[in-house]
Amino acid sequence: MIRRTLRVVLAMLYAFAGWKHIVDPAPFLRITPAWVWAPDAVIFWTGVAEILGAAALVQPFSPRLRQAAGIGLALYALCVWPANVNHMMMDLVRPDGGWGMAYHGPRMIVQPLLIWLALWAGQVIDWPFGPRGKPAG
């Protein structure tokens, strides 16, 4: 029940973020590292990927599709981490400190948790709640 609830919550967060990427790309473009090629297209397609991943994560028909969504969303969270680091670095050098470490510190900590949650909610992994393997002996 907890996994299902968190799966729905995660899907809602990704669906909302995907929608925001598509309808209001400006904030995402501002934090996109300069080395990203075709940032407008990247932001649009990441929004599409978030929405599709969210839909696949909560669909009830195919456990394999749910697992693929979990893997895809975990990889997505890993791939956008450079934008989050870039945003933090840009903010911290601003004269006013931007959002500050009170925002960016937890955000950096949450990113690996999002990666884990996508894998766990997608039923790719059971750790740390599942069996730990065979006992020695």
Side-chain angles (χ1 to χ4, degrees):
M1 184 64 167
I2 292 172
R3 187 181 289 205
R4 183 179 305 149
T5 301
L6 289 176
R7 181 182 309 129
V8 169
V9 169
L10 185 64
M12 288 171 43
L13 290 172
Y14 270 112
F16 177 74
W19 173 77
K20 285 293 286 178
H21 276 81
I22 293 168
V23 301
D24 186 19
F28 304 103
L29 288 167
R30 279 194 294 275
I31 67 169
T32 301
W35 51 263
V36 172
W37 180 76
D40 291 315
V42 169
I43 297 302
F44 174 80
W45 288 109
T46 56
V48 170
E50 286 175 305
I51 292 168
L52 292 175
L57 192 62
V58 294
Q59 59 74 36
F61 307 110
S62 173
R64 284 185 181 252
L65 183 57
R66 186 178 311 120
Q67 288 178 331
I71 292 168
L73 291 172
L75 288 172
Y76 171 83
L78 180 64
C79 290
V80 299
W81 209 342
N84 296 341
V85 171
N86 189 53
H87 183 205
M88 178 178 70
M89 302 313 266
M90 289 169 42
D91 252 14
L92 295 180
V93 298
R94 286 177 40 178
D96 66 357
W99 289 80
M101 281 307 291
Y103 169 77
H104 291 290
R107 185 177 184 193
M108 292 296 111
I109 293 168
V110 165
Q111 202 73 16
L113 293 175
L114 281 174
I115 293 167
W116 168 80
L117 183 58
L119 295 171
W120 185 74
Q123 296 177 295
V124 177
I125 62 171
D126 289 325
W127 181 85
F129 306 111
R132 296 194 181 265
K134 295 180 183 179

